[in-house]
Every structure is written in structure tokens, then in C-alpha cells.
């Protein structure tokens, strides 16, 4: 090789190496490549046998997102199991492409599931006229609810707002927000709505890709381009982009109480959660607090108390082949099961500079709750909820020394704890897990 070409070639090879190595390292971590799943698989078999049950598999099919309000779970599902492997955004979308076309209320006390009728919804009154994805709910002072739902339509995606009285079996459409304006989220995925500004329909919305389909969508995803963003909308302000430069941002959640509110947005392709806080000076703007490396392709996060839960895919590199495979056909590389699911959690008390002091922010501990590598329970989990059991507070407080000793011992365990008079009580509850292709929602009892 001529000397004049040697240096450019070396520069090109070195540059390619510097670009590819971080991507390969990230893939190993996010897709759990090289991990021995023997112990994880044994635990999944134990959970299925003793602790977890699949609830309402004939009704709650392909439920991509779910929200817990009181003793009820609200979720967007599909009425036809045949549609669950064919969801997606495409300009020629038909009924076979939809992710969800029905809103269900699952009353956990009675175990009754109700399909809520959709009054005054624009468009045809059929599954072909709607395609629900992410949703969020505000509780209003009068006891009624406002549901904000992403609706993916061939003629343009929208955000639909509904009013609902939990004592009834219907929702009434009250507002449709197009996503075509400058600063909007034309490919919306998830919503976090502000209850104190519900009359103004104030909400943050994630835009998960710049490109909805085609080769550029693949380029954007597989090279982890920072081309997605978060937008803000309210009736009074209209749309505006408030946080650009994200990598495949998907789910978003936050504190409904505006005091010390934090937002949590999942960058699915980056394997991270962005921690944000509302701007104190400009309505709708956000400021970044911290980025959590969760080491997984996480979808929709949810909060219980100080704990942030997030569900995602265990072996994400198998997703596309699995999704596009014909029924009963194994795509290349899918040697056993499916892409599976994983659930993790982070205690949010670890986050921010105030916890560590002196302006220092340290990486928080990310706990793995469930690893189902082969999809024996769920393939492509998209949403998880923890619902605690009622805790009986001890009538008589323990002796001060005993309480301190118990607290010290419990600090070393990976269990939820609740401060009560006389010491700490380990919190147990039900863990609910769903996914875009799940037939039913898994309910796992006595989780800690």
C-alpha cells in the first residue's frame, strides 16, 4: 500500500473502531448477551408455579400501557389477539396494524373487567377508527377522572382527552389535540399529565422517533441517534419542544403532587432514564437532574412511593425478528422462547445532588426484580405496576434499642420498607406485568 494512503486508512479504521466498540459494549449490556440465564429461568418457573397467575387472558390482550387509580387498573388493549404481532406505525395502517382499540377498567377488589364505551369519539365507531398506545390519568377534586390517550391514526396521530366517572361504564371525549404543529410530538408514545392544570390539558408527551418507518427509522434505532424528544402542550401555550436530543425516548411518568415534582423518561435504545424537574420560571419547560443507567431497553416507568419501576425486553436484539415472524415460525437467532422481559427498580431517594451533598450526584443502585429471558411469562414487557398491601401499624411501639437494631439489619436487605411508629415494616404487594403481545396481565403476589 502506498504510503500516502496508509495514514488515511489508519485514521478510518481507528475511527470506525472507536465508534463500533461502544455500540458493541452497549449491546452486550442492554441485551444481556453472554449471560447465563439458568438461575433466572429456574426462578421464573417457580414464580409461575407458586406466585404468579395470568389474569383475564381472553380479555386483556396486548395491553401496552396501564395505570393504577385507587383499586382499579385502566389499560389500553386490543380486542383481537390476531392484531398483537402486527402493531406499528405505517402510512398504510389498517386494522391489522393497531396496538390497541379498547380501554378497560379492571376492578381489583371484585376482579371484574369492564370495557368502557367511548362516547363522542370522532371517527368511525369501530376498532379501525382508533389505535391507542400510551395513556395517563388525572384524578380531579370532584372524584372524576381525566384520561389522556395517544391515538395513532393513518391521517395523523392525536392525543385524545376523555372525562370519566368511575361509577359509570363509559368515557366521554372532550378534547382532541393534533400533533402536526411546530414543536409537537408527531410520533407520540407516552404522556404525563398535570392534575393541577387539568382544565388547561397540560401534559408532557414523548416523541419516540423522528422517522416513523422505512430505512431511516432503522438507522435511527440501530445507531442510537439522538433524534427523539419531549414536547409540552397545554391549551394556553400550544405545543413546544422542551427537551430535544434524546435516544428513542419512550415512556414517561412523574409525581402527581406538584411539590418537589420529578419526571422520569425512558430512553429505550440508550438503556437509560432521564430524571427531570419542571422549570421554576417557564411553564412547561424542564431541567435535567440526572441520567440513570438502567442497563436494559426500558419502556414505561411507574412510581410507587419512592420506588421507580420499569419494564422492558430482556433480549432486545430478537425483537424485530420475533415481531415479524409468522405465527409458529421462529425467526433467525431466536433459539428458545422469545425476546423475554425484565423488570427493574430504582429508589428515587438516591437521586439528585441533595442526597449526596456538596453538589455531587452518584450513580444510583438499580435492582433487578424479575428476569424472564425466554418469555415464559411475557415477551416484550411494556408496563409494570406495584400495588402494596395495607400495612397494619403495631399497636405498641418496640423498645427504642430493638427498633434501631431492626432498622440496621433491614437496611442490608433488598426489601421495601415503610417507616411506622416502633420500627420498620417490610412492604409486600402485588406486581402487575403486561406487554404488547401478552394475552392477559400477570399478577404476582407477595412481592417485596
Amino acid at each position: 500500500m502506498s504510503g500516502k494512503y496508509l495514514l488515511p486508512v489508519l485514521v478510518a479504521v481507528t475511527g470506525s473502531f472507536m465508534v463500533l466498540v461502544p455500540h458493541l459494549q452497549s449491546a452486550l449490556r442492554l441485551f444481556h448477551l453472554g449471560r447465563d440465564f439458568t438461575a433466572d429461568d429456574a426462578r421464573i418457573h417457580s414464580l409461575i408455579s407458586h406466585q404468579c397467575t395470568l389474569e383475564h387472558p381472553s380479555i386483556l390482550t396486548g395491553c401496552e400501557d396501564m395505570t393504577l387509580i385507587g383499586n382499579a387498573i385502566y389499560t389500553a388493549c386490543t380486542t383481537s389477539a390476531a392484531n398483537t404481532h402486527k402493531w406499528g406505525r405505517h402510512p398504510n395502517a389498517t386494522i391489522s396494524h393497531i396496538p390497541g382499540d379498547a380501554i378497560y377498567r379492571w376492578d381489583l377488589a371484585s376482579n371484574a373487567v369492564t370495557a368502557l364505551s367511548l362516547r363522542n369519539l370522532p371517527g368511525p365507531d369501530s376498532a379501525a377508527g382508533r389505535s391507542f398506545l400510551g395513556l395517563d390519568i388525572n384524578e380531579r377534586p370532584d372524584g372524576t377522572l381525566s384520561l389522556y390517550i395517544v391515538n395513532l391514526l393513518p391521517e395523523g396521530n392525536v392525543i385524545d382527552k376523555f372525562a370519566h366517572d368511575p361509577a359509570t361504564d363509559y368515557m366521554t371525549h372532550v378534547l382532541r389535540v393534533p400533533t402536526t404543529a411546530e414543536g409537537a410530538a408527531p410520533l407520540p408514545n407516552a404522556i404525563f399529565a398535570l392534575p393541577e392544570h387539568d382544565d388547561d390539558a397540560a401534559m408532557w408527551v414523548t416523541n419516540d422517533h423522528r422517522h416513523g418507518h422505512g430505512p431511516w427509522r432503522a438507522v435511527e434505532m440501530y445507531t442510537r441517534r439522538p433524534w427523539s424528544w419531549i414536547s409540552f402542550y397545554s391549551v394556553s401555550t400550544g405545543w413546544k419542544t422542551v427537551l430535544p436530543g434524546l435516544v428513542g425516548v419512550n415512556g414517561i411518568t412523574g409525581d402527581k403532587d406538584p411539590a418537589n415534582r420529578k419526571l422520569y423518561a425512558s430512553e429505550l435504545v440508550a438503556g437509560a432514564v432521564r430524571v427531570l424537574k419542571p422549570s421554576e420560571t417557564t411553564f412547561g419547560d424542564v431541567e435535567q437532574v440526572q441520567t440513570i443507567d438502567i442497563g436494559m431497553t426500558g419502556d414505561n416507568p411507574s412510581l410507587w412511593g419512592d420506588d421507580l419501576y420499569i419494564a422492558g425486553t430482556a433480549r432486545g436484539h430478537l425483537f424485530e425478528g420475533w415481531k415479524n415472524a409468522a405465527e409458529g415460525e421462529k425467526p433467525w437467532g431466536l433459539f428458545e422462547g422469545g425476546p423475554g422481559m425484565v423488570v427493574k427498580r430504582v429508589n428515587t431517594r438516591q437521586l439528585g445532588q441533595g442526597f449526596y451533598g456538596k453538589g455531587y450526584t452518584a450513580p444510583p443502585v438499580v435492582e433487578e426484580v424479575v428476569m424472564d429471558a425466554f418469555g415464559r411469562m411475557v415477551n416484550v414487557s411494556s408496563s409494570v405496576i406495584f400495588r402494596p398491601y395495607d400495612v397494619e401499624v403495631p399497636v405498641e411501639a418496640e423498645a427504642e434499642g430493638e427498633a434501631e437494631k431492626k432498622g440496621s439489619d433491614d437496611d442490608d436487605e433488598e426489601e421495601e420498607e415503610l417507616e411506622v411508629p416502633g420500627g420498620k415494616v417490610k412492604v409486600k404487594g402485588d406486581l402487575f406485568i403486561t406487554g404488547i403481545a401478552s394475552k392477559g396481565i400477570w399478577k404476582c403476589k407477595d412481592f417485596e
Side-chain angles (χ1 to χ4, degrees):
M1 180 182 292
S2 173
K4 67 177 181 179
Y5 297 115
L6 181 59
L7 182 59
V9 169
L10 288 175
V11 170
V13 170
T14 302
S16 300
F17 185 78
M18 293 176 66
V19 171
L20 289 175
V21 168
H23 281 282
L24 291 174
Q25 291 174 330
S26 176
L28 288 170
R29 182 172 53 88
L30 298 184
F31 303 149
H32 306 96
L33 298 175
R35 173 166 168 170
D36 183 356
F37 296 111
T38 303
D40 303 307
D41 205 35
R43 184 179 181 230
I44 289 298
H45 282 289
S46 177
L47 288 175
I48 294 173
S49 300
H50 305 294
Q51 205 169 342
C52 302
T53 56
L54 189 60
E55 302 288 334
H56 305 288
S58 64
I59 304 173
L60 301 177
T61 300
C63 306
E64 198 274 345
D65 197 3
M66 56 183 177
T67 299
L68 177 68
I69 300 293
N71 282 325
I73 287 178
Y74 289 80
T75 182
C77 310
T78 179
T79 55
S80 171
N83 294 333
T84 58
H85 288 281
K86 300 179 181 178
W87 73 285
R89 300 188 179 107
H90 195 276
N92 299 321
T94 66
I95 187 171
S96 65
H97 290 80
I98 61 174
D101 52 81
I103 304 297
Y104 291 100
R105 181 184 63 218
W106 177 13
D107 185 278
L108 300 176
S110 65
N111 202 32
V113 176
T114 302
L116 300 177
S117 63
L118 309 173
R119 297 186 175 180
N120 300 336
L121 180 65
D125 186 18
S126 67
R130 52 187 180 269
S131 178
F132 299 138
L133 193 61
L135 78 159
D136 192 31
I137 301 177
N138 285 338
E139 299 181 75
R140 294 179 60 88
D142 61 0
T144 61
L145 306 177
S146 292
L147 286 83
Y148 295 77
I149 305 175
V150 171
N151 193 354
L152 309 178
L153 301 176
E155 62 271 18
N157 303 320
V158 298
I159 310 295
D160 282 322
K161 179 183 178 182
F162 296 86
H164 171 61
D165 184 342
T168 68
D169 60 359
Y170 63 89
M171 308 190 309
T172 302
H173 187 268
V174 295
L175 178 68
R176 170 160 287 183
V177 182
T179 62
T180 54
E182 183 179 356
L187 296 176
N189 185 291
I191 302 167
F192 179 75
L194 284 67
E196 70 275 20
H197 297 289
D198 188 70
D199 290 337
D200 198 21
M203 57 184 151
W204 284 284
V205 182
T206 61
N207 190 91
D208 60 13
H209 290 82
R210 177 183 294 177
H211 303 279
H213 59 91
W216 280 110
R217 164 102 181 219
V219 170
E220 180 177 1
M221 181 172 65
Y222 290 116
T223 64
R224 299 190 301 161
R225 296 298 86 201
W227 292 347
S228 64
W229 63 88
I230 298 174
S231 292
F232 178 80
Y233 174 85
S234 72
V235 174
S236 60
T237 65
W239 283 105
K240 61 178 176 178
T241 300
V242 295
L243 187 62
L246 301 179
V247 182
V249 64
N250 272 48
I252 186 170
T253 191
D255 302 293
K256 287 294 184 178
D257 184 350
N260 299 314
R261 171 176 284 152
K262 296 289 189 300
L263 305 174
Y264 307 91
S266 172
E267 288 184 285
L268 183 145
V269 186
V273 170
R274 295 287 186 109
V275 185
L276 314 168
K277 65 178 181 179
S279 168
E280 296 181 358
T281 58
T282 306
F283 182 43
D285 284 5
V286 295
E287 301 172 2
Q288 298 195 57
V289 176
Q290 191 171 349
T291 298
I292 309 172
D293 182 354
I294 58 172
M296 61 179 281
T297 51
D299 197 341
N300 291 307
S302 67
L303 277 173
W304 174 74
D306 292 322
D307 286 321
L308 181 76
Y309 287 80
I310 187 163
T313 303
R315 301 188 295 168
H317 58 294
L318 304 179
F319 172 71
E320 288 294 330
W322 166 83
K323 178 173 72 74
N324 296 324
E327 192 70 26
E329 177 185 339
K330 286 188 177 181
W332 180 87
L334 193 59
F335 301 111
E336 183 180 0
M341 68 95 171
V342 59
V343 174
K344 295 187 179 183
R345 71 180 166 207
V346 180
N347 189 295
T348 61
R349 285 178 294 180
Q350 305 173 68
L351 305 177
Q353 298 173 350
F355 181 80
Y356 294 98
K358 298 182 180 180
Y360 176 64
T361 301
V365 175
V366 179
E367 179 187 357
E368 188 175 278
V369 178
V370 181
M371 167 61 79
D372 178 13
F374 305 111
R376 306 199 190 282
M377 290 176 62
V378 177
N379 275 311
V380 194
S381 56
S382 54
S383 188
V384 59
I385 290 174
F386 179 75
R387 176 177 175 262
Y389 302 143
D390 292 334
V391 177
E392 294 185 5
V393 179
V395 176
E396 295 184 3
E398 301 177 51
E400 183 177 348
E402 294 176 351
E404 291 178 356
K405 181 178 183 299
K406 180 179 178 181
S408 176
D409 293 341
D410 287 348
D411 286 343
D412 295 331
E413 301 180 15
E414 297 180 348
E415 297 175 346
E416 302 292 338
E417 295 176 341
L418 180 68
E419 294 280 358
V420 298
K424 295 180 179 179
V425 174
K426 298 170 188 175
V427 177
K428 291 186 177 183
D430 294 330
L431 193 73
F432 298 89
I433 308 171
T434 187
I436 62 172
S438 302
K439 296 181 180 179
I441 293 176
W442 282 93
K443 177 182 178 182
C444 298
K445 297 181 179 180
D446 296 321
F447 252 78
E448 297 177 338

